[in-house]
């Protein structure tokens, strides 16, 4: 569950210490491969940035709540990929976005047949999301409440497993992982159907507040350069949607415009 990247001895600066990064199981961006190594398209992008920065690091895959807690408490650490919001803004220093996509509510075709969910009748269905997710509050605003019609799990992928088994009727998914989830659902004999959009999100690498601003700035520069030189596209293409890749590339282009 741990990936370690150390830059060459000649490239290391004396003051550089190992950066401890945490993530969660969220394929195709983050998962454990057949050798038990942390892998995935987003992980590969982070590894590329670490190499370009000559930054030694470890990447550990943990349940989301634990990953988020460690990144807040430990110096010289970080967590990815996470939503940047008002509650978290001052708890981290931010690099990104790593992704930009639509979050929506999904269900099985045998239950909904494409029908949208009306919050007024939400008591008819059991929704599921993982603890510490920013989308829990969105579900609550739609009328879902823990102990009545909302199940909260520890790990990101647990809700989808419950959906496949028919133990919950609604889950929150993003468009980036839809193709893989649809294939898994079809293997179980059903289709995954989109019911309604919830919000547009940007996901970031959140680094601990003790890290110097100049380092954060360098991280951001290297990330945007990967969007401009095709490196991100090479890692994301075929895994994430072309629409999202284009959004990220356009983001980097627009960021360069004031400098020209």
């Amino acid at each position: 569950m741990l990936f370690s990247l150390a830059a060459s001895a000649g490239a290391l600066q004396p003051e550089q210490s190992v950066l401890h990064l945490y993530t969660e199981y969220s394929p195709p961006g983050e998962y454990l491969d057949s050798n038990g190594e942390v892998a995935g398209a987003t992980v590969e992008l982070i590894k590329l940035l670490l190499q370009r920065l000559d930054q030694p690091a470890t990447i550990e895959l943990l349940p989301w709540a634990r990953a988020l807690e460690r990144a807040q408490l430990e110096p010289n650490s970080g967590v990815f990929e996470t939503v940047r919001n008002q509650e978290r803004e001052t708890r981290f220093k931010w690099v990104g976005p790593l992704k930009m996509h639509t979050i929506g509510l999904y269900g099985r075709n045998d239950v909904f047949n494409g029908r949208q969910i009306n919050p007024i009748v939400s008591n008819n269905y059991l929704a599921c999301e993982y603890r510490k997710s920013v989308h829990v509050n969105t579900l609550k605003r739609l009328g879902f409440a823990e102990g009545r019609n909302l199940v909260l799990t520890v790990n990101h992928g647990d809700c989808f497993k419950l959906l496949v088994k028919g133990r919950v009727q609604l889950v929150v998914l993003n468009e980036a992982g839809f193709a893989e989830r649809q294939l898994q659902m079809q293997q179980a004999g059903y289709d995954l159907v989109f019911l309604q959009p919830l919000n547009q999100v940007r996901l970031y690498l959140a680094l601990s507040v003790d890290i110097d601003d100049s380092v954060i700035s360098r991280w951001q520069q290297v990330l945007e350069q990967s969007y401009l030189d095709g490196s991100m596209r090479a890692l994301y293409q075929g895994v994430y949607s072309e629409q999202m890749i284009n959004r990220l590339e356009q983001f980097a282009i627009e960021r360069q415009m004031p400098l020209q």
Side-chain angles (χ1 to χ4, degrees), residues 190-237:
Y190 305 99
D191 277 321
L192 188 62
V193 295
F194 175 79
L195 299 169
Q196 70 179 70
L198 297 180
N199 48 45
Q200 299 282 336
V201 298
R202 295 184 174 195
L203 299 176
Y204 288 77
L205 166 65
L207 294 171
S208 55
V209 293
D210 63 294
I211 297 176
D212 192 87
D213 288 345
S214 64
V215 175
I216 301 299
S217 178
R218 180 61 180 148
W219 266 95
Q220 187 67 36
Q221 292 171 9
V222 172
L223 175 68
E224 291 176 19
Q225 184 58 40
S226 77
Y227 294 172
L228 296 170
D229 65 18
S231 302
M232 174 274 294
R233 174 172 286 276
L235 295 171
Y236 277 12
Q237 203 161 36

Side-chain angles (χ1 to χ4, degrees), residues 27-39:
E30 302 89 7
Y31 59 88
L32 297 179
D33 64 18
S34 58
N35 297 317
E37 299 290 332
V38 185

Side-chain angles (χ1 to χ4, degrees), residues 16 27 30 45-46 50 68 87 98-99 112 120 136 139 144 161 166 176 195 201 221 240 254 257:
Q16 273 189 306
E30 302 89 7
L45 178 62
I46 295 296
L50 288 166
L68 190 64
E87 179 187 358
L98 303 175
K99 290 182 186 175
F112 294 105
I120 296 175
V136 171
L139 289 174
F144 295 94
K161 294 175 183 177
L195 299 169
V201 298
Q221 292 171 9
Y240 300 135
E254 291 174 358
M257 286 180 179

Side-chain angles (χ1 to χ4, degrees), residues 38-55:
V38 185
T42 312
V43 171
E44 293 307 314
L45 178 62
I46 295 296
K47 290 179 182 179
L48 174 67
L49 303 183
L50 288 166
Q51 291 170 350
R52 291 183 175 183
L53 290 164
D54 288 328
Q55 172 64 60

Side-chain angles (χ1 to χ4, degrees), residues 103-106 117-120 122-123 125-131 133-146 148-153 159 168-173 195-199:
I103 294 290
L105 205 57
Y106 290 79
I117 301 305
N118 187 328
I120 296 175
S122 62
N123 284 337
Y125 310 109
L126 191 61
C128 185
E129 181 60 329
Y130 64 100
R131 294 186 184 277
S133 165
V134 296
H135 308 304
V136 171
N137 287 335
T138 302
L139 289 174
K140 289 180 178 179
R141 286 194 295 270
L142 288 176
F144 295 94
E146 188 177 7
R148 188 179 77 236
N149 56 358
L150 176 61
V151 174
L152 298 180
T153 66
C159 286
V168 300
Q169 291 77 49
L170 298 165
V171 296
V172 178
L173 296 174
L195 299 169
Q196 70 179 70
L198 297 180
N199 48 45

